Amino acid sequence: MCPTLWSRLRRPGYVTGCVLLLAVVATAAPLRFDFGTNDSQVWTGFTRATPANVWASDAAFGWRSAAGLSAKVRAYTAPVHDARRGSDQPPPMWTNPITEDAIVGTAENAFLLRAPPGEYQLYVVCGTSDPSMRSQFFDFTVQVGGEQQRVQIDGPYQFRTLRFRAKVGNEPLAVTFSPRSKWAVNAIVAWTGADAKEVETGIITPFEEWTFRLPPVEWAKWQLEAEPPTGPTPTPSAADQKRGFVVYGRHYLECVYPHSRPREEELNPELKLFASPGEHATTAVTVLPLVDIAGAKVAVSALGPVPAKEIDVRHVRFMRARPNYTTLYRYRWVPDVLERFEQLELKAGENGRFWITIRVPDDAPAGNYRGTVTFTCSTGTASIPVQLRILPIRLRDDPEKIFGIYYRHPYDQMGAAPDEVSKEYFRRKADREHADMVAHGTRNVVLSVSARPADATGKFSFNWELLAAKLELGKKHGFVAPVVLGVPTESIYEKHVGERPGSHLRGVKPPPPAFAAEVTAMVRAIEAERVRRGWPEFLYYPIDEPGTDAASISFMVTVLKACKAAGIRTYVTADPTREQFQPLRPHIDVWSTQPFAPEREVVLADSKARGVEYWCYPNHVNGENDHTPVAGARMTYGFGFWRSGFRTLIPWIYQSSTGNPFNYLDGASMDFFNRSEPDGTPVPVAMWEGYRAGYNDYRYVYTLEQLIAEAKRSGKPAAQEAAKAAEQELRNVWNAIRVQPKYKYDDLWSPEEFDVYRWLVARQILAIQSALGR
């Protein structure tokens, strides 16, 4: 030991650091660092590291600089009280000593650690549990030696784990963090090959099971529900046994679970589709591995005028999901997220399903085209023939119908974002999500305007520019009116009553007359600004899903009267068939209800007599209740919507996340519907694709209805005869629909029947077009 170091060892304050240094130099045992504060927890066997640990020549570890470092701590170790629900609920995530705290940096920095020379593996954990960073987009690079990895994290409750390999010589090992916005790190582990098993089984596996699933105590409470029963497995052919897997084709509307088994008629499939120019066509291929296989890839060739780049292939990711939105302690493995991939490892006996979406170019010529889906892996190859028929049909959109959705707008986070990189991320995320909505037929979202109650002079403070930006983005993507606008009546109630009304108006009290007067004034102010700026019509949405008790109904009458006094139309989420809501009827312009209720005849009669509109928010096919009714989603959005008499579909919600967006078991409620890639690009789920299929079903029906009318007016006998035949066919399809308030699982068409009925409609379109000489 050098004399200088020895002299320092004898000074106060150097003993602890140098004892650790001696231990590090003497052994290559795993080096484990848990980042946080002097008071936060430390994972067993880890060394605490804080912003105060700055590197020095005699240090065992430390930061290159203390500049720009801060520690963030938020521990979730017990249920939290939910004031709106009036009960204790699970926290958004269950933290552990590693995830509860992090060091965050605003400038490039490096964590240095001294280690004996040798070959090392590193494991780096990045993320934060701090909800105050909800509008922070972390975008940074982690570098070890010559290897770099980029990390992108949208807000709290998400964690990325990185692995590196490095060679250590006489210099300390450096883990460098380079921010585009900010960076965050929770833990670093470094080890040599001799300790690999200890680290993997004793550190990494327990940590990841806790972080990406649930802590052991909580996980022990959850029970796995059995998969739906499957039939006997056909005996694999000699060729299948040799290549190590079976390929089968099952309609994409039918769920394939991890251990579903093929039917005899599904083996060695040929995929057959038809579509019109501009349409998306969907099919699926499933691979059942007989042995563990690696390097699984799927490629699809061009299909005539459809280039391979217009064919999207995704892996259907099985997720642990609750059977209902707020259910605790029961879960299933369900097919849900459609993720991009390059190659996969597949386990023996567990299905690998691949979702294929073909976008037909707008100018694609009609014809029959063939191609191939090729599956390759470490054990063999399979080729699946594909046949695509492109029809000479230009599908039309019904201008009287609206396909909308509730939406948590990224612009709200953009406005609160602390740096330009984060602002740009939320702007880009919103733009990509709007484009994704349009690609699925959705062109309307629910918005809200933020405002504080009136001040002493009666003046309101609105964030007009934020609302203007949201409307401008919708205009850019061709969104349609009217716009449902949530208005902050609850904050005015709190001003006059001294408390919030609670979820579904639980415990609401009669407000003083000044409350109604202020609501009217607020709505008039919003309406005046709307007119001044030339914005589309707003439907005023004062309260979400009011309760049915007498106090709630009385309050709703007060609120709706106050809104109507401003000369606008109102929007209410309530079931018009429930007797308790009848006092609201004179004050509601748009009923938004979960099921298709009331029946079509009542809807049409009321709409004709009073100009009332009926909208549906079909949450039963949005993942709130279940992640699997893809066929119900298609029925709801297509033939069921056509049959209902309703004007609009507007489910809740495009994306809902409570904690980690890829862990559906954490938090008080289940995450659902579309997910996001790290850069904000939308990741669809299977039901979202069901929406698009239903939307296209409706377009085929509407196109035929318009052609029938044109043929009748044409004066051409052949066209009029074709119209008569088409009307009869369309009536047969109409009569085949088994009408239900909610289309989910039961009493639906078989998956193949959906395509048959669409083809019956398409065939009549072709016949009329021919008769009209088009």
Side-chain angles (χ1 to χ4, degrees):
M1 184 179 296
C2 68
T4 303
L5 181 55
W6 176 248
S7 64
R8 290 182 177 177
L9 272 172
R10 293 182 292 179
R11 298 179 191 173
Y14 281 89
V15 174
T16 301
C18 286
V19 167
L20 178 58
L21 170 61
L22 291 172
V24 170
V25 172
T27 178
L31 306 176
R32 295 164 281 194
F33 299 94
D34 183 349
F35 296 97
T37 68
N38 286 326
D39 300 320
S40 57
Q41 295 187 78
V42 177
W43 191 284
T44 302
F46 278 59
T47 298
R48 184 191 307 276
T50 75
N53 293 118
V54 179
W55 178 258
S57 61
D58 55 0
F61 61 88
W63 294 100
R64 182 169 289 155
S65 169
L69 298 182
S70 62
K72 300 290 184 180
V73 181
R74 183 59 185 265
Y76 294 102
T77 57
V80 295
H81 185 72
D82 187 327
R84 286 181 58 82
R85 294 178 177 174
S87 61
D88 288 344
Q89 299 290 332
M93 66 171 291
W94 296 96
T95 56
N96 54 52
I98 289 177
T99 58
E100 74 170 11
D101 48 11
I103 290 181
V104 175
T106 57
E108 182 172 289
N109 211 325
F111 185 72
L112 307 173
L113 53 131
R114 205 177 295 277
E119 301 283 346
Y120 283 80
Q121 298 180 54
L122 284 88
Y123 181 79
V124 182
V125 182
C126 301
T128 178
S129 59
D130 185 357
S132 70
M133 309 197 82
R134 190 176 300 277
S135 297
Q136 177 68 58
F137 175 60
F138 293 92
D139 190 355
F140 58 97
T141 298
V142 183
Q143 180 171 348
V144 179
E147 182 182 359
Q148 290 186 350
Q149 296 186 48
R150 187 173 182 179
V151 179
Q152 295 175 304
I153 304 173
D154 173 2
Y157 316 134
Q158 302 180 58
F159 298 86
R160 305 283 185 264
T161 61
L162 314 176
R163 289 177 180 259
F164 296 91
R165 290 182 178 274
K167 185 175 182 178
V168 177
N170 295 324
E171 296 299 317
L173 179 59
V175 182
T176 302
F177 300 87
S178 303
R180 292 172 180 82
S181 54
K182 291 180 181 178
W183 56 263
V185 61
N186 310 89
I188 294 175
V189 183
W191 69 95
T192 61
D195 297 310
K197 184 175 181 181
E198 173 193 343
V199 171
E200 293 290 349
T201 61
I203 298 175
I204 294 177
T205 297
F207 166 73
E208 292 189 348
E209 287 180 347
W210 182 314
T211 302
F212 301 114
R213 191 176 64 185
L214 291 168
V217 173
E218 287 297 314
W219 180 239
K221 302 175 184 177
W222 288 78
Q223 298 296 316
L224 173 63
E225 294 187 349
E227 293 180 19
T230 188
T233 304
T235 302
S237 67
D240 289 339
Q241 291 177 348
K242 182 178 180 181
R243 67 187 180 183
F245 59 86
V246 172
V247 177
Y248 63 102
R250 183 170 297 178
H251 199 285
Y252 71 92
L253 291 181
E254 187 172 353
C255 289
V256 172
Y257 295 89
H259 302 99
S260 298
R261 291 298 177 257
R263 305 168 189 128
E264 191 72 41
E265 66 274 14
E266 296 172 335
L267 299 177
N268 302 314
E270 179 179 4
L271 308 177
K272 296 182 179 181
L273 306 90
F274 69 88
S276 299
E279 186 186 348
H280 291 77
T282 301
T283 188
V285 170
T286 305
V287 174
L288 174 61
L290 304 176
V291 297
D292 290 348
I293 56 180
K297 298 181 180 180
V298 178
V300 184
S301 69
L303 292 164
V306 183
K309 67 179 182 179
E310 294 293 335
I311 302 174
D312 187 29
V313 182
R314 293 179 179 256
H315 173 242
V316 182
R317 181 172 170 182
F318 297 118
M319 302 286 291
R320 296 186 185 95
R322 313 179 196 193
N324 191 273
Y325 181 46
T326 57
T327 296
L328 292 176
Y329 309 131
R330 290 190 293 120
Y331 76 97
R332 302 181 276 192
W333 280 107
V334 300
D336 184 63
V337 174
L338 307 181
E339 61 183 4
R340 290 197 281 194
F341 71 101
E342 292 184 4
Q343 59 182 31
L344 300 166
E345 293 183 359
L346 302 178
K347 296 180 180 179
E350 185 172 299
N351 287 304
R353 199 178 203 203
F354 301 96
W355 193 281
I356 301 169
T357 304
I358 301 165
R359 187 196 179 279
V360 181
D362 294 336
D363 58 354
N368 290 305
Y369 305 98
R370 295 182 179 274
T372 304
V373 176
T374 303
F375 174 82
T376 59
C377 67
S378 56
T379 62
T381 301
S383 295
I384 303 98
V386 184
Q387 181 177 328
L388 172 66
R389 180 176 180 181
I390 298 178
L391 307 175
I393 294 173
R394 184 64 57 183
L395 295 176
R396 308 182 190 184
D397 285 292
D398 185 348
E400 297 302 316
K401 299 294 184 182
I402 298 174
F403 294 84
I405 202 163
Y406 278 72
Y407 187 50
R408 289 187 174 134
H409 210 298
Y411 276 15
D412 292 322
Q413 291 166 282
M414 182 180 71
D419 56 72
E420 290 305 315
V421 172
S422 296
K423 290 180 185 296
E424 172 58 22
Y425 164 78
F426 291 114
R427 185 207 64 76
R428 182 177 65 247
K429 185 174 190 285
D431 189 64
R432 290 177 178 179
E433 289 177 346
H434 276 61
D436 183 52
M437 291 181 209
V438 171
H440 286 77
T442 296
R443 292 179 176 84
N444 181 286
V445 294
V446 175
L447 298 179
S448 62
V449 60
S450 59
R452 291 189 293 272
D455 60 18
T457 67
K459 183 178 180 180
F460 294 91
S461 176
F462 296 97
N463 191 339
W464 293 127
E465 297 315 310
L466 179 59
L467 179 58
K470 293 177 181 178
L471 290 167
E472 187 61 31
L473 181 61
K475 181 179 179 180
K476 169 187 172 182
H477 289 278
F479 278 25
V480 298
V483 176
V484 177
L485 187 74
V487 291
T489 57
E490 291 188 2
S491 62
I492 298 176
Y493 175 90
E494 184 178 24
K495 170 185 173 182
H496 292 278
V497 180
E499 61 185 40
R500 289 272 174 168
S503 178
H504 305 294
L505 299 180
R506 183 188 294 109
V508 70
K509 300 172 183 176
F515 164 78
E518 187 167 335
V519 169
T520 301
M522 177 188 65
V523 173
R524 281 178 175 154
I526 297 171
E527 190 66 5
E529 189 71 12
R530 181 193 71 80
V531 172
R532 186 181 76 82
R533 294 191 181 227
W535 287 338
E537 181 194 7
F538 293 158
L539 299 175
Y540 287 83
Y541 181 20
I543 296 290
D544 182 55
E545 292 186 330
T548 57
D549 59 280
S552 174
I553 298 301
S554 176
F555 177 76
M556 284 300 298
V557 169
T558 297
V559 170
L560 292 172
K561 282 184 175 179
C563 291
K564 294 284 289 180
I568 52 80
R569 290 204 297 163
T570 58
Y571 171 97
V572 175
T573 46
D575 185 346
T577 65
R578 300 192 70 167
E579 183 178 351
Q580 296 96 322
F581 289 128
Q582 297 317 301
L584 309 184
R585 187 171 288 278
H587 316 293
I588 294 176
D589 297 292
V590 176
W591 285 97
S592 187
T593 175
Q594 281 210 42
F596 286 130
E599 295 178 350
R600 176 185 177 85
E601 291 72 20
V602 175
V603 167
L604 296 180
D606 197 25
S607 297
K608 182 177 180 180
R610 300 192 302 122
V612 178
E613 293 182 17
Y614 287 82
W615 293 23
C616 177
Y617 60 108
N619 296 1
H620 50 284
V621 289
N622 194 260
E624 182 185 48
N625 298 294
D626 192 343
H627 282 221
T628 62
V630 183
R634 179 171 174 179
M635 191 70 187
T636 299
Y637 264 67
F639 293 103
F641 186 34
W642 173 50
R643 188 70 172 75
S644 71
F646 277 61
R647 184 189 182 193
T648 300
L649 290 170
I650 193 161
W652 189 71
I653 188 169
Y654 181 81
Q655 183 181 95
S656 176
S657 297
T658 303
N660 181 339
F662 286 92
N663 182 356
Y664 295 164
L665 305 188
D666 64 1
S669 55
M670 178 165 57
D671 311 314
F672 60 92
F673 231 45
N674 301 298
R675 307 289 87 197
S676 298
E677 292 182 8
D679 68 352
T681 300
V683 178
V685 294
M687 276 195 293
W688 181 231
E689 300 305 302
Y691 281 18
R692 175 157 57 193
Y695 160 71
N696 284 329
D697 288 337
Y698 186 89
R699 293 169 76 204
Y700 274 94
V701 168
Y702 178 73
T703 300
L704 179 56
E705 289 176 332
Q706 297 305 298
L707 284 170
I708 288 172
E710 292 170 19
K712 287 181 176 180
R713 296 192 300 267
S714 71
K716 296 182 178 181
Q720 292 173 338
E721 192 65 27
K724 183 178 179 181
E727 276 189 314
Q728 180 59 53
E729 189 75 278
L730 202 55
R731 191 176 302 115
N732 293 338
V733 175
W734 176 276
N735 292 333
I737 299 170
R738 296 185 279 275
V739 177
Q740 302 175 55
K742 293 183 179 182
Y743 300 98
K744 192 173 180 181
Y745 301 116
D746 302 327
D747 210 22
L748 298 180
W749 295 334
S750 71
E752 291 77 14
E753 283 181 288
F754 281 89
D755 297 334
V756 169
Y757 284 116
R758 183 191 283 188
W759 172 246
L760 294 177
V761 174
R763 186 173 63 178
Q764 296 304 321
I765 292 174
L766 296 174
I768 293 180
Q769 287 183 163
S770 177
L772 288 171
R774 297 180 184 176

